[in-house]
C-alpha cells in the first residue's frame, strides 16, 4: 500500500503496473474479439438454416437431448462442444440407439475408441452413422487419401503403398473447446495407463486390426521425397488413426501393407 501510494502521488507507473495494465487490455480485447466472432458464426449458421428452410433445434445439455430424442424426429445431430469425453458420451449413445446420424469435431482418440467399443454394433443395427472428426482434423487427411488413392488406381492401375501428408501453411486459431479437450486428455492420461496406451497406439481406432505402421513422427527429420526437413504435426495423432480406420471399414482396398 505504501508503495502504491507513493507511485500514485508521483504520477508514475512502475514496470509491474504497466505490465499488469498491458495484460488486462490484451485479455479484454481478445475476449471481446472472440465474443464478436462467435456471435457472427452463430448468426451466419442461423441464416444458412433459415435460407434452406431446415427444421432445427438448439438444446443445452446431454440430459435434455437424451430425454427429447425419443419424442421427436431427429435426422442428424451436429455437436461442436468439447471436451467430448465429458459432454459427448450420452449423445453418441442416444444417436446409436435411435438410428440418428451424428457428427462432431473431436480429436480425442480415447473418447472415439470408447464409443467404438460401446456403440459400433448398436449403430450398425439401428442404421445410425456416427462420424467423428469432421473438422480440420480429419477431413483433409481422410478424404485426401481417399481421393489420391482413387486417382492412383485410375492412373497407374494400383493404389499407393504409402501416403504422407505434409502441411506447409495453416490459417486459423485454436478454440476454447480445443484447449479444454487437450487439457482434459492430458488429465485423463496422467491418471489412466489405459488412456495413455490408446493415445499412443497407431491402431487405436481399429481394434483387432493391425498393420505395420509404427508411432507418429516425434522429432525433426529429413524427408527424401520432399527434399527438406520436416517436423511433427500436432494433428497427426488423430489424422493417421482416422485414415487407418476408414481403410479398415472399407475392407482394406489399398492392401494390408498400406
Amino acid at each position: 500500500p505504501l508503495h502504491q501510494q507513493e507511485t500514485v502521488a508521483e504520477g508514475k507507473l512502475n514496470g509491474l503496473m504497466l505490465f499488469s495494465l498491458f495484460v488486462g487490455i490484451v485479455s479484454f480485447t481478445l475476449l471481446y474479439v472472440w465474443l464478436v466472432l462467435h456471435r457472427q458464426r452463430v448468426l451466419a449458421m442461423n441464416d444458412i438454416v433459415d435460407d434452406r428452410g431446415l427444421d432445427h433445434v438448439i438444446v443445452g445439455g446431454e440430459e435434455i437431448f437424451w430425454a427429447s430424442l425419443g419424442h421427436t424426429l431427429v435426422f442428424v445431430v451436429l455437436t461442436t462442444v468439447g471436451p467430448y469425453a465429458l459432454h459427448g458420451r450420452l449423445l453418441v449413445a442416444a444417436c446409436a440407439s435411435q438410428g440418428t446420424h451424428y457428427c462432431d469435431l473431436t480429436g480425442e482418440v480415447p473418447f472415439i475408441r470408447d464409443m467404438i467399443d460401446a456403440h459400433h454394433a448398436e449403430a450398425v443395427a439401428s442404421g445410425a452413422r456416427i462420424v467423428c472428426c469432421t473438422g480440420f482434423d480429419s477431413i483433409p487427411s481422410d478424404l485426401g487419401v481417399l481421393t489420391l488413392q482413387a486417382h492412383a488406381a485410375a492412373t497407374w492401375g494400383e493404389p499407393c503403398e504409402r501416403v504422407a501428408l505434409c502441411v506447409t501453411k495453416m490459417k486459423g486459431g485454436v478454440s476454447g473447446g480445443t484447449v479444454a479437450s487437450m487439457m482434459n486428455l492430458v488429465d485423463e492420461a496422467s491418471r489412466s495407463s489405459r488412456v495413455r496406451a490408446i493415445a499412443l497406439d497407431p491402431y487405436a481406432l481399429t481394434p483387432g486390426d493391425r498393420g505395420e505402421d509404427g508411432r507418429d513422427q516425434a522429432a525433426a527429420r529429413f524427408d527424401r521425397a520432399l527434399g527438406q526437413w520436416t517436423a511433427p504435426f500436432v494433428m497427426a495423432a488423430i489424422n493417421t488413426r482416422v485414415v487407418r480406420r476408414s481403410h479398415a471399414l472399407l475392407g482394406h482396398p489399398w492392401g494390408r501393407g498400406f
Side-chain angles (χ1 to χ4, degrees):
L2 293 178
H3 176 71
Q4 292 180 353
Q5 183 177 3
E6 180 182 357
T7 304
V8 173
E10 294 177 355
K12 298 179 181 179
L13 295 175
N14 61 26
L16 179 59
M17 295 177 67
L18 286 172
F19 178 75
S20 300
L21 179 62
F22 173 77
V23 171
I25 293 174
V26 171
S27 299
F28 175 81
T29 302
L30 292 176
L31 177 60
Y32 177 79
V33 171
W34 182 87
L35 290 173
V36 171
L37 293 177
H38 176 70
R39 177 172 175 77
Q40 289 179 337
R41 287 196 297 266
V42 172
L43 292 176
M45 182 178 295
N46 287 336
D47 289 341
I48 293 174
V49 171
D50 293 338
D51 291 343
R52 298 185 179 182
L54 301 176
D55 294 328
H56 66 287
V57 61
I58 298 176
V59 295
E62 295 176 335
E63 294 79 5
I64 298 175
F65 179 79
W66 177 273
S68 64
L69 186 59
H71 304 288
T72 58
L73 179 60
V74 179
F75 180 74
V76 61
V77 172
L78 298 85
T79 173
T80 61
V81 180
Y84 290 90
L86 300 179
H87 307 300
R89 297 179 183 275
L90 286 179
L91 291 181
V92 175
C95 290
S97 66
Q98 297 293 328
T100 300
H101 304 316
Y102 165 100
C103 63
D104 65 27
L105 296 175
T106 187
E108 304 160 57
V109 174
F111 162 76
I112 302 172
R113 174 58 184 272
D114 287 346
M115 297 302 96
I116 292 171
D117 293 342
H119 304 297
H120 176 75
E122 186 178 27
V124 171
S126 69
R129 291 176 173 85
I130 309 299
V131 186
C132 300
C133 310
T134 59
F136 184 56
D137 49 339
S138 301
I139 285 181
S141 300
D142 202 23
L143 296 187
V145 171
L146 181 66
T147 304
L148 177 63
Q149 293 290 49
H151 176 76
T155 304
W156 299 292
E158 59 182 1
C160 300
E161 296 180 355
R162 177 179 179 271
V163 175
L165 170 68
C166 181
V167 179
T168 58
K169 292 183 180 180
M170 289 197 308
K171 182 179 180 180
V174 179
S175 69
T178 298
V179 174
S181 297
M182 294 174 63
M183 293 176 64
N184 183 70
L185 181 57
V186 170
D187 178 63
E188 289 185 344
S190 68
R191 294 183 286 106
S192 171
S193 58
R194 175 182 177 274
V195 171
R196 291 195 297 272
I198 291 176
L200 294 174
D201 185 0
Y203 290 91
L205 302 185
T206 54
D209 190 306
R210 305 192 68 83
E212 302 174 359
D213 283 348
R215 292 184 177 180
D216 303 310
Q217 181 176 342
R221 70 185 181 198
F222 188 81
D223 190 298
R224 296 185 181 278
L226 295 174
Q228 65 184 36
W229 285 90
T230 62
F233 182 40
V234 65
M235 292 182 177
I238 179 63
N239 291 340
T240 54
R241 288 149 179 78
V242 169
V243 171
R244 293 184 189 108
R245 177 161 180 79
S246 294
H247 185 224
L249 291 175
L250 290 172
H252 306 92
W254 311 320
R256 288 281 181 174
F258 171 73

